[in-house]
């Protein structure tokens, strides 16, 4: 199970127990998808699954499609909210973190310096907005 699946299952279970009504998943990302989900689950990547695979490694297109599909799934879950904190340098940004946020119908924040204080500040602000909605 990858991290996003674990977050979704944990959130769904918390909702079912009645402990929470809304689930907020905080994603801190540099905007680069670089490891396929199967590898994060301890399996090997199958290059035949990616027509653009080179040297047995997944293409950027494959990784992007995989992460966006996961984000869309999360965005379809009732009561789920994604907060995407983008730490990628905005001058060389690929825009993937913003796309992830959009796919999950979440909130997007770009921060230039990813230190604990900046992350905590953005998270607290976003949580207050979500609670108010």
């Amino acid at each position: 199970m990858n991290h996003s699946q674990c977050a979704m299952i944990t959130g769904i279970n918390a909702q079912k127990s009645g402990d929470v009504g809304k689930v907020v998943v905080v994603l801190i990302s540099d905007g680069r998808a670089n490891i396929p989900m199967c590898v994060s689950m301890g399996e090997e990547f199958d290059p035949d699954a990616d027509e653009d695979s080179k040297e047995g490694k997944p293409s950027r297109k494959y990784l992007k499609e995989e992460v966006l599909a996961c984000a869309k799934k999360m965005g379809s879950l009732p009561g789920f909210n994604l907060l995407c904190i983008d730490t990628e340098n905005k001058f060389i940004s690929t825009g993937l973190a913003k796309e992830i946020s959009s796919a999950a119908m979440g909130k997007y924040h770009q921060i230039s310096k990813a230190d604990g204080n900046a992350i905590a500040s953005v998270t607290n602000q976003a949580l207050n907005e979500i609670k108010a909605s």
Side-chain angles (χ1 to χ4, degrees):
M1 177 180 333
N2 66 45
H3 296 95
S4 60
Q5 289 172 324
C6 184
M8 287 187 268
I9 290 170
T10 300
I12 289 168
N13 287 340
Q15 286 175 323
K16 285 180 181 177
S17 73
D19 289 343
V20 298
K22 293 182 182 179
V23 175
V24 179
V25 176
V26 179
L27 168 67
I28 302 170
S29 175
D30 64 1
R32 290 181 237 153
N34 51 13
I35 298 172
M37 285 191 235
C38 62
V39 172
S40 73
M41 295 184 286
E43 300 169 10
E44 287 191 33
F45 171 70
D46 178 9
D48 292 335
D50 178 7
E51 64 185 33
D52 298 321
S53 175
K54 292 182 183 165
E55 299 176 15
K57 296 184 180 181
S59 65
R60 289 180 191 233
K61 177 184 172 191
Y62 178 88
L63 293 169
K64 180 179 178 178
E65 288 173 356
E66 189 176 61
V67 75
L68 291 176
C70 191
K72 286 177 186 173
K73 183 175 182 179
M74 185 178 290
S76 72
L77 295 172
F80 270 69
N81 299 274
L82 176 72
L83 167 60
C84 184
I85 300 175
D86 184 0
T87 62
E88 186 177 30
N89 182 324
K90 65 181 175 180
F91 297 109
I92 58 169
S93 176
T94 63
L96 181 56
K98 197 169 208 170
E99 287 185 65
I100 293 168
S101 179
S102 293
M105 296 178 285
K107 295 197 175 290
Y108 170 84
H109 292 274
Q110 201 283 329
I111 57 175
S112 55
K113 186 177 178 187
D115 65 16
N117 290 333
I119 291 169
S121 176
V122 167
T123 302
N124 283 331
Q125 176 187 351
L127 287 173
N128 288 332
E129 290 174 11
I130 290 168
K131 285 178 189 176
S133 64

